[in-house]
Amino acid sequence: MAPASEDGNLYPRSAGRQSRSASTVARLVTLLKEARKSANLHTEIKGSIEGEGMLRTLCVVATLQFLALTSAWACTGQVGAVIFQDTFADDSGGWDTTPPWSTVQPPVYVIAGDANNSGYNALNLTFNATDGDYCMDFILPPAIAANNQMYAGILFWATDYNNMMSAQLASDGGVWLQKKASGNWSTIFDVPKSPAFVSGANAVNSLRVTALAGVITVYLNGTQIKSVRAQEPTNPGLSFGMYAGADAVSANAPKVQIKSYSVTAGK
């Protein structure tokens, strides 16, 4: 089980397919039009056979460019208007960073523990959401030891670092939902060794949480893990964020790399 934080965002020693955006689709259409225009021009000069070959080549290039534009958003199933998106191309996302434990290192957000801190929480300081569809893509390293699992997770319904909800994935494939109230953690559910988990040192996993009309549903790589009913907070200024860490401190703790984070209205 991931350790409970006793002091702010540091964890001390004691402790579906997303809809393509209109701009991206428009970019693909533009690339294909440019490809056809170039091929037609080539046909006039070199003949129809070479022109068709050029068309096929440029269409492939356009498709690859389109995939490059959309590959950063691996979260599946998100719906509703976009509230927040970040692929960590820079540090303008409004995250509460605390070097050296948490830093934006484009194109990822990196969280790493050390001999004094087993993990780190990072809330977003400039965006808020209550009802929402939250998703995070990340690389979760293997466990440090059999009794020292690594974790990465989504924080939501947070009033501060002592009051929040957290959905987490463990490096053994376990999926957790926890609640923190007045600094004290309680586990709502623990699903061990989900078959949806993708293992491996550089494997990317996608964790998603929908919190809508008093129902929290957790997904891993597009597979629904579990739903529970929960009393929705009434505070309109609730925050969301992310967590990464381990069961226990380690001087050489591996880094968790968060590749993207997105929040939509969910409806």
PDB file of all heavy atoms in Angstrom, residues 187-206:
ATOM      1  N   THR A 187      -8.550   3.426   2.669  1.00  0.00           N
ATOM      2  CA  THR A 187      -8.651   2.746   1.386  1.00  0.00           C
ATOM      3  C   THR A 187     -10.107   2.409   1.088  1.00  0.00           C
ATOM      4  O   THR A 187     -10.780   1.770   1.902  1.00  0.00           O
ATOM      5  CB  THR A 187      -7.812   1.462   1.379  1.00  0.00           C
ATOM      6  OG1 THR A 187      -6.430   1.811   1.574  1.00  0.00           O
ATOM      7  CG2 THR A 187      -7.960   0.718   0.053  1.00  0.00           C
ATOM      8  N   ILE A 188     -10.580   2.842  -0.077  1.00  0.00           N
ATOM      9  CA  ILE A 188     -11.954   2.564  -0.493  1.00  0.00           C
ATOM     10  C   ILE A 188     -12.016   1.219  -1.211  1.00  0.00           C
ATOM     11  O   ILE A 188     -12.894   0.405  -0.948  1.00  0.00           O
ATOM     12  CB  ILE A 188     -12.481   3.703  -1.380  1.00  0.00           C
ATOM     13  CG1 ILE A 188     -12.489   5.005  -0.577  1.00  0.00           C
ATOM     14  CG2 ILE A 188     -13.884   3.383  -1.907  1.00  0.00           C
ATOM     15  CD1 ILE A 188     -12.774   6.239  -1.405  1.00  0.00           C
ATOM     16  N   PHE A 189     -11.083   0.977  -2.128  1.00  0.00           N
ATOM     17  CA  PHE A 189     -10.959  -0.368  -2.685  1.00  0.00           C
ATOM     18  C   PHE A 189      -9.538  -0.603  -3.168  1.00  0.00           C
ATOM     19  O   PHE A 189      -8.791   0.318  -3.448  1.00  0.00           O
ATOM     20  CB  PHE A 189     -11.979  -0.642  -3.798  1.00  0.00           C
ATOM     21  CG  PHE A 189     -11.813   0.145  -5.075  1.00  0.00           C
ATOM     22  CD1 PHE A 189     -10.769  -0.092  -5.956  1.00  0.00           C
ATOM     23  CD2 PHE A 189     -12.760   1.108  -5.421  1.00  0.00           C
ATOM     24  CE1 PHE A 189     -10.645   0.615  -7.144  1.00  0.00           C
ATOM     25  CE2 PHE A 189     -12.639   1.837  -6.605  1.00  0.00           C
ATOM     26  CZ  PHE A 189     -11.588   1.581  -7.469  1.00  0.00           C
ATOM     27  N   ASP A 190      -9.199  -1.891  -3.243  1.00  0.00           N
ATOM     28  CA  ASP A 190      -7.887  -2.342  -3.719  1.00  0.00           C
ATOM     29  C   ASP A 190      -8.128  -3.551  -4.602  1.00  0.00           C
ATOM     30  O   ASP A 190      -8.545  -4.605  -4.127  1.00  0.00           O
ATOM     31  CB  ASP A 190      -6.997  -2.701  -2.524  1.00  0.00           C
ATOM     32  CG  ASP A 190      -5.750  -3.475  -2.935  1.00  0.00           C
ATOM     33  OD1 ASP A 190      -5.390  -3.431  -4.128  1.00  0.00           O
ATOM     34  OD2 ASP A 190      -5.150  -4.133  -2.062  1.00  0.00           O
ATOM     35  N   VAL A 191      -7.892  -3.396  -5.902  1.00  0.00           N
ATOM     36  CA  VAL A 191      -8.046  -4.494  -6.853  1.00  0.00           C
ATOM     37  C   VAL A 191      -6.646  -4.984  -7.224  1.00  0.00           C
ATOM     38  O   VAL A 191      -5.894  -4.280  -7.910  1.00  0.00           O
ATOM     39  CB  VAL A 191      -8.816  -4.039  -8.106  1.00  0.00           C
ATOM     40  CG1 VAL A 191      -8.900  -5.178  -9.118  1.00  0.00           C
ATOM     41  CG2 VAL A 191     -10.213  -3.552  -7.726  1.00  0.00           C
ATOM     42  N   PRO A 192      -6.232  -6.168  -6.777  1.00  0.00           N
ATOM     43  CA  PRO A 192      -4.856  -6.626  -7.027  1.00  0.00           C
ATOM     44  C   PRO A 192      -4.642  -7.142  -8.440  1.00  0.00           C
ATOM     45  O   PRO A 192      -5.547  -7.722  -9.046  1.00  0.00           O
ATOM     46  CB  PRO A 192      -4.681  -7.756  -6.004  1.00  0.00           C
ATOM     47  CG  PRO A 192      -6.076  -8.278  -5.798  1.00  0.00           C
ATOM     48  CD  PRO A 192      -6.999  -7.101  -5.932  1.00  0.00           C
ATOM     49  N   LYS A 193      -3.470  -6.889  -8.938  1.00  0.00           N
ATOM     50  CA  LYS A 193      -2.975  -7.485 -10.191  1.00  0.00           C
ATOM     51  C   LYS A 193      -3.998  -7.452 -11.323  1.00  0.00           C
ATOM     52  O   LYS A 193      -4.425  -8.492 -11.849  1.00  0.00           O
ATOM     53  CB  LYS A 193      -2.520  -8.924  -9.944  1.00  0.00           C
ATOM     54  CG  LYS A 193      -1.404  -9.035  -8.913  1.00  0.00           C
ATOM     55  CD  LYS A 193      -0.917 -10.449  -8.759  1.00  0.00           C
ATOM     56  CE  LYS A 193       0.123 -10.572  -7.656  1.00  0.00           C
ATOM     57  NZ  LYS A 193       1.299  -9.743  -7.863  1.00  0.00           N
ATOM     58  N   SER A 194      -4.387  -6.251 -11.712  1.00  0.00           N
ATOM     59  CA  SER A 194      -5.341  -6.114 -12.816  1.00  0.00           C
ATOM     60  C   SER A 194      -4.746  -6.665 -14.106  1.00  0.00           C
ATOM     61  O   SER A 194      -3.599  -6.357 -14.450  1.00  0.00           O
ATOM     62  CB  SER A 194      -5.704  -4.642 -13.019  1.00  0.00           C
ATOM     63  OG  SER A 194      -6.405  -4.464 -14.231  1.00  0.00           O
ATOM     64  N   PRO A 195      -5.493  -7.477 -14.863  1.00  0.00           N
ATOM     65  CA  PRO A 195      -4.986  -7.989 -16.142  1.00  0.00           C
ATOM     66  C   PRO A 195      -4.822  -6.893 -17.190  1.00  0.00           C
ATOM     67  O   PRO A 195      -4.173  -7.130 -18.221  1.00  0.00           O
ATOM     68  CB  PRO A 195      -6.059  -9.006 -16.557  1.00  0.00           C
ATOM     69  CG  PRO A 195      -7.285  -8.593 -15.830  1.00  0.00           C
ATOM     70  CD  PRO A 195      -6.821  -8.019 -14.531  1.00  0.00           C
ATOM     71  N   ALA A 196      -5.377  -5.710 -16.931  1.00  0.00           N
ATOM     72  CA  ALA A 196      -5.229  -4.602 -17.878  1.00  0.00           C
ATOM     73  C   ALA A 196      -3.870  -3.926 -17.765  1.00  0.00           C
ATOM     74  O   ALA A 196      -3.495  -3.124 -18.629  1.00  0.00           O
ATOM     75  CB  ALA A 196      -6.335  -3.570 -17.651  1.00  0.00           C
ATOM     76  N   PHE A 197      -3.117  -4.250 -16.728  1.00  0.00           N
ATOM     77  CA  PHE A 197      -1.819  -3.622 -16.496  1.00  0.00           C
ATOM     78  C   PHE A 197      -0.811  -4.028 -17.562  1.00  0.00           C
ATOM     79  O   PHE A 197      -0.724  -5.200 -17.939  1.00  0.00           O
ATOM     80  CB  PHE A 197      -1.305  -4.030 -15.115  1.00  0.00           C
ATOM     81  CG  PHE A 197       0.079  -3.542 -14.797  1.00  0.00           C
ATOM     82  CD1 PHE A 197       0.382  -2.193 -14.781  1.00  0.00           C
ATOM     83  CD2 PHE A 197       1.086  -4.450 -14.493  1.00  0.00           C
ATOM     84  CE1 PHE A 197       1.665  -1.741 -14.477  1.00  0.00           C
ATOM     85  CE2 PHE A 197       2.367  -4.015 -14.180  1.00  0.00           C
ATOM     86  CZ  PHE A 197       2.653  -2.652 -14.171  1.00  0.00           C
ATOM     87  N   VAL A 198      -0.036  -3.054 -18.045  1.00  0.00           N
ATOM     88  CA  VAL A 198       1.036  -3.307 -19.005  1.00  0.00           C
ATOM     89  C   VAL A 198       2.363  -3.182 -18.260  1.00  0.00           C
ATOM     90  O   VAL A 198       2.711  -2.104 -17.771  1.00  0.00           O
ATOM     91  CB  VAL A 198       0.990  -2.319 -20.181  1.00  0.00           C
ATOM     92  CG1 VAL A 198       2.112  -2.624 -21.170  1.00  0.00           C
ATOM     93  CG2 VAL A 198      -0.367  -2.363 -20.875  1.00  0.00           C
ATOM     94  N   SER A 199       3.082  -4.292 -18.141  1.00  0.00           N
ATOM     95  CA  SER A 199       4.331  -4.301 -17.380  1.00  0.00           C
ATOM     96  C   SER A 199       5.525  -4.014 -18.291  1.00  0.00           C
ATOM     97  O   SER A 199       5.407  -4.018 -19.515  1.00  0.00           O
ATOM     98  CB  SER A 199       4.518  -5.652 -16.689  1.00  0.00           C
ATOM     99  OG  SER A 199       4.594  -6.688 -17.653  1.00  0.00           O
ATOM    100  N   GLY A 200       6.672  -3.766 -17.673  1.00  0.00           N
ATOM    101  CA  GLY A 200       7.894  -3.487 -18.432  1.00  0.00           C
ATOM    102  C   GLY A 200       8.482  -2.155 -18.034  1.00  0.00           C
ATOM    103  O   GLY A 200       7.762  -1.223 -17.651  1.00  0.00           O
ATOM    104  N   ALA A 201       9.798  -2.068 -18.132  1.00  0.00           N
ATOM    105  CA  ALA A 201      10.509  -0.878 -17.669  1.00  0.00           C
ATOM    106  C   ALA A 201      10.052   0.397 -18.366  1.00  0.00           C
ATOM    107  O   ALA A 201      10.023   1.468 -17.752  1.00  0.00           O
ATOM    108  CB  ALA A 201      12.010  -1.066 -17.861  1.00  0.00           C
ATOM    109  N   ASN A 202       9.706   0.331 -19.649  1.00  0.00           N
ATOM    110  CA  ASN A 202       9.312   1.528 -20.395  1.00  0.00           C
ATOM    111  C   ASN A 202       7.869   1.474 -20.879  1.00  0.00           C
ATOM    112  O   ASN A 202       7.489   2.217 -21.784  1.00  0.00           O
ATOM    113  CB  ASN A 202      10.251   1.731 -21.586  1.00  0.00           C
ATOM    114  CG  ASN A 202      11.677   2.012 -21.151  1.00  0.00           C
ATOM    115  OD1 ASN A 202      11.921   2.913 -20.356  1.00  0.00           O
ATOM    116  ND2 ASN A 202      12.620   1.244 -21.663  1.00  0.00           N
ATOM    117  N   ALA A 203       7.067   0.602 -20.285  1.00  0.00           N
ATOM    118  CA  ALA A 203       5.669   0.475 -20.699  1.00  0.00           C
ATOM    119  C   ALA A 203       4.878   1.703 -20.267  1.00  0.00           C
ATOM    120  O   ALA A 203       5.078   2.247 -19.171  1.00  0.00           O
ATOM    121  CB  ALA A 203       5.063  -0.772 -20.096  1.00  0.00           C
ATOM    122  N   VAL A 204       3.965   2.136 -21.128  1.00  0.00           N
ATOM    123  CA  VAL A 204       3.091   3.270 -20.820  1.00  0.00           C
ATOM    124  C   VAL A 204       1.737   2.734 -20.389  1.00  0.00           C
ATOM    125  O   VAL A 204       1.125   1.924 -21.092  1.00  0.00           O
ATOM    126  CB  VAL A 204       2.933   4.202 -22.037  1.00  0.00           C
ATOM    127  CG1 VAL A 204       1.950   5.331 -21.713  1.00  0.00           C
ATOM    128  CG2 VAL A 204       4.280   4.775 -22.457  1.00  0.00           C
ATOM    129  N   ASN A 205       1.278   3.167 -19.224  1.00  0.00           N
ATOM    130  CA  ASN A 205      -0.057   2.823 -18.744  1.00  0.00           C
ATOM    131  C   ASN A 205      -0.908   4.085 -18.684  1.00  0.00           C
ATOM    132  O   ASN A 205      -0.394   5.192 -18.477  1.00  0.00           O
ATOM    133  CB  ASN A 205       0.017   2.184 -17.356  1.00  0.00           C
ATOM    134  CG  ASN A 205       0.412   0.718 -17.414  1.00  0.00           C
ATOM    135  OD1 ASN A 205      -0.418  -0.153 -17.602  1.00  0.00           O
ATOM    136  ND2 ASN A 205       1.720   0.461 -17.269  1.00  0.00           N
ATOM    137  N   SER A 206      -2.194   3.883 -18.869  1.00  0.00           N
ATOM    138  CA  SER A 206      -3.141   4.998 -18.883  1.00  0.00           C
ATOM    139  C   SER A 206      -4.162   4.782 -17.779  1.00  0.00           C
ATOM    140  O   SER A 206      -4.934   3.824 -17.815  1.00  0.00           O
ATOM    141  CB  SER A 206      -3.832   5.073 -20.251  1.00  0.00           C
ATOM    142  OG  SER A 206      -4.776   6.125 -20.274  1.00  0.00           O
TER     143      SER A 206
END
